[in-house]
Amino acid sequence: MIPKDLPKAELHCHLEGTIPPSLARKIAKRNNIKLNSDLFENEDTYAWDDFASFLEAYDAASLCLRNSTDYRDITYDYLAKCAAEGAIYIEVFTSPDHAAECGISYNEHVRGVAQAFDNAERDYGIIGRAIVTCVRHLGPERALSVADSFLENPHPYFVGFGMGGDEGHMTFEDFKPAFDKVAKAGYPCTTHAGEHFGPETILDAIEKLPVSRIGHGVRISEDENAVKEIIKKGIVLEICPGSNVSLGVYKKYSEHPFPYLRNCGCKVTLNSDDPPFFHTNIGKEYEDAHTNFGLTIDNLLDITRTAINAAFIKDYEKKRLQAKVDSWKKSG
Ligand code: ADE
Ligand code: ZN
């Protein structure tokens, strides 16, 4: 077992995918919303059996949300749990398209999330920041509109831009206008790539889009030259082993390329993606990396340092967080 308070940082989790079934039911009840009865397999488990049905369940769970207080509550709930797992920094993807589907405006969703970040920092010392995310399978026009909302309503806690959703839809080139607009305004970007598709799609992503990080990116491991290319470019991989095993990208941990990529010299981080859907959390990801990939305490601290270094925050904020990691090492 690793010490629970080993400082951890997470760069890749979807806020709408952090809602545990009990909280989804509680929020739905107070909003007089009836969630789809086949959304749950049992009390604590969402029902899904492949990537498509996972995305459907994820969309359906988010329909419990109706106002900025709901956004505050799910964000606070998540950060409180992460703090209990020893996390000191969390970046969450928020999806204005999901908010809009629930009748919640861009600014209402920002208000709720930002309030939770303040409350969680006050109560637990954990720092939360948000990455505004478009949904690939909703297409490039919606992506551009999400980018416009982001740029027209700047907020200091909303620090970057990203894209999730079904990798099988459209090409990276199609989303270039949205990403370029955001990058031109000075914001850092990330995109999901190489989760369900091969290394060529990751190379395409880093060629077409102004990204410093790739969500998942694990399938880069299938091409040695592609691995060299992302190392050369300093691309950071937001790796989510528990999600990958749950979704069947790899059958078991022993097949996961995390150790290979790390040994090659890739910048790797550990993340939970959509914790209640995959029965994981950031603490479990670190623990599993220790058990299954043989990472030592020092290796795990380096993973935290890599994540902080790649975070979409200012240098002085990174320095403060790195100092926390260093002081834990000294006292630990
Ligand atoms: N949205 C939420 N989880 C996702 C995942 N694992 N891949 C792509 N889009 C997502
Ligand atoms: Zn993801």
Side-chain angles (χ1 to χ4, degrees):
M1 290 275 283
I2 60 170
K4 196 78 169 172
D5 66 344
L6 183 146
K8 305 168 184 79
E10 178 170 70
L11 302 179
H12 187 125
C13 73
H14 301 259
L15 183 60
E16 302 81 11
T18 67
I19 314 170
S22 56
L23 187 59
R25 276 193 293 266
K26 182 175 151 191
I27 294 177
K29 192 168 174 206
R30 75 185 184 206
N31 287 332
N32 279 323
I33 286 162
K34 206 167 158 30
L35 290 171
N36 211 335
S37 60
D38 53 17
L39 174 58
F40 306 107
E41 195 172 296
N42 59 43
E43 272 295 288
D44 308 314
T45 309
Y46 287 113
W48 58 272
D49 51 24
D50 57 12
F51 185 59
S53 63
F54 153 69
L55 283 179
E56 280 171 27
Y58 165 95
D59 288 348
S62 73
L63 290 175
C64 67
L65 304 170
R66 280 297 173 267
N67 52 55
S68 74
T69 303
D70 299 338
Y71 263 100
R72 192 218 79 96
D73 289 355
I74 61 165
T75 310
Y76 185 82
D77 176 77
Y78 186 58
L79 290 185
K81 284 186 180 135
C82 288
E85 295 295 327
I88 58 171
Y89 180 75
I90 298 285
E91 268 172 25
V92 294
F93 295 125
T94 72
S95 163
D97 285 311
H98 283 80
E101 197 64 31
C102 301
I104 305 170
S105 72
Y106 181 85
N107 279 318
E108 253 186 296
H109 115 280
V110 167
R111 189 150 32 89
V113 172
Q115 195 184 349
F117 288 163
D118 280 335
N119 295 165
E121 186 175 353
R122 176 198 65 202
D123 296 345
Y124 303 107
I126 189 169
I127 308 286
R129 293 292 182 264
I131 298 174
V132 171
T133 311
C134 61
V135 179
R136 185 162 174 165
H137 53 269
L138 296 182
E141 277 177 27
R142 294 275 282 274
L144 198 52
S145 152
V146 169
D148 284 338
S149 299
F150 174 57
L151 294 176
E152 285 159 16
N153 302 279
H155 187 289
Y157 297 165
F158 283 66
V159 292
F161 187 72
M163 178 164 70
D166 189 342
E167 274 186 74
H169 283 251
M170 320 290 289
T171 65
F172 286 111
E173 176 89 42
D174 296 319
F175 295 94
K176 196 169 162 46
F179 277 81
D180 280 352
K181 201 167 184 179
V182 166
K184 216 171 141 207
Y187 289 99
C189 300
T190 177
T191 184
H192 283 59
E195 178 187 18
H196 300 286
F197 288 81
E200 65 288 350
T201 62
I202 301 164
L203 294 180
D204 192 42
I206 61 175
E207 191 195 323
K208 304 283 166 44
L209 303 182
V211 292
S212 55
R213 302 184 343 210
I214 290 287
H216 297 282
V218 278
R219 291 196 51 193
I220 199 83
S221 60
E222 294 164 26
D223 178 342
E224 227 174 283
N225 288 327
V227 171
K228 284 189 188 137
E229 184 65 16
I230 62 159
I231 293 172
K232 195 172 93 191
K233 292 208 160 137
I235 300 291
V236 174
L237 300 179
E238 306 157 3
I239 302 189
C240 313
S243 159
N244 295 153
V245 172
S246 246
L247 284 168
V249 177
Y250 301 100
K251 281 199 195 72
K252 40 189 192 264
Y253 274 91
S254 57
E255 289 175 14
H256 199 284
F258 187 97
Y260 168 76
L261 292 169
R262 189 176 155 272
N263 289 336
C264 285
C266 289
K267 293 183 182 175
V268 291
T269 61
L270 286 166
N271 306 276
S272 66
D273 209 8
D274 305 280
F277 288 87
F278 306 136
H279 301 288
T280 188
N281 61 53
I282 188 61
K284 186 169 184 303
E285 293 299 331
Y286 273 65
E287 188 67 53
D288 286 349
H290 172 63
T291 311
N292 298 304
F293 304 147
L295 265 61
T296 64
I297 301 290
D298 279 338
N299 298 154
L300 292 168
L301 289 171
D302 280 344
I303 300 278
T304 302
R305 289 192 183 96
T306 301
I308 293 169
N309 217 20
F312 289 166
I313 51 176
K314 304 260 182 323
D315 282 348
Y316 77 90
E317 294 173 296
K318 292 184 189 183
K319 278 202 187 109
R320 249 183 234 162
L321 289 162
Q322 299 287 18
K324 273 196 185 182
V325 180
D326 294 343
S327 66
W328 182 86
K329 178 71 181 138
K330 278 189 209 111
S331 65

